[in-house]
Amino acid sequence: MKEKITRSSGNGFADLGFPPEEAAILAMRADLMAQLRPVVEKRNWTQVEAAQVLGISESRVSDLMRGKWDKFSLDMLVTLATRAGLHCELRLAA
């Protein structure tokens, strides 16, 4: 039996049935985390160093590095990205 393949909308959370506004926030959180983790890795920070630079506990650094995006608000991820020296900007599309 063949399964029907559905093309992605570009937002996996929307594809999973989340309401559009929630899917947008979830996608932004996931994208920010995906940008933050390589910065920590590339700079070879220990968890102690990352915690000091980012202003969070070592356990929070562990959550970040393990991709536990559900433990971070969008605001907190923007704050962490800024502390890591990244520039965040929001772009709207029609």
Side-chain angles (χ1 to χ4, degrees):
M1 178 158 88
K2 287 188 174 185
E3 291 186 35
K4 182 181 176 188
I5 298 174
T6 304
R7 184 176 301 273
S8 173
S9 68
N11 181 325
F13 298 102
D15 296 342
L16 290 171
F18 286 91
E21 60 280 359
E22 187 175 359
I25 292 170
L26 290 170
M28 284 188 260
R29 285 169 50 197
D31 288 345
L32 273 169
M33 183 162 286
Q35 296 294 319
L36 271 167
R37 287 177 23 213
V39 168
V40 173
E41 292 168 350
K42 191 174 189 178
R43 295 179 184 171
N44 293 314
W45 286 338
T46 64
Q47 281 197 356
V48 172
E49 292 168 328
Q52 289 172 343
V53 171
L54 299 175
I56 57 176
S57 68
E58 290 178 51
S59 64
R60 296 288 280 161
V61 172
S62 179
D63 289 340
L64 177 71
M65 298 309 290
R66 293 174 189 257
K68 295 183 178 180
W69 55 266
D70 57 317
K71 295 190 178 261
F72 295 89
S73 68
L74 182 57
D75 289 355
M76 176 53 82
L77 289 167
V78 169
T79 298
L80 296 178
T82 302
R83 289 176 181 167
L86 301 176
H87 174 76
C88 297
E89 87 180 30
L90 175 65
R91 293 182 187 203
L92 299 176

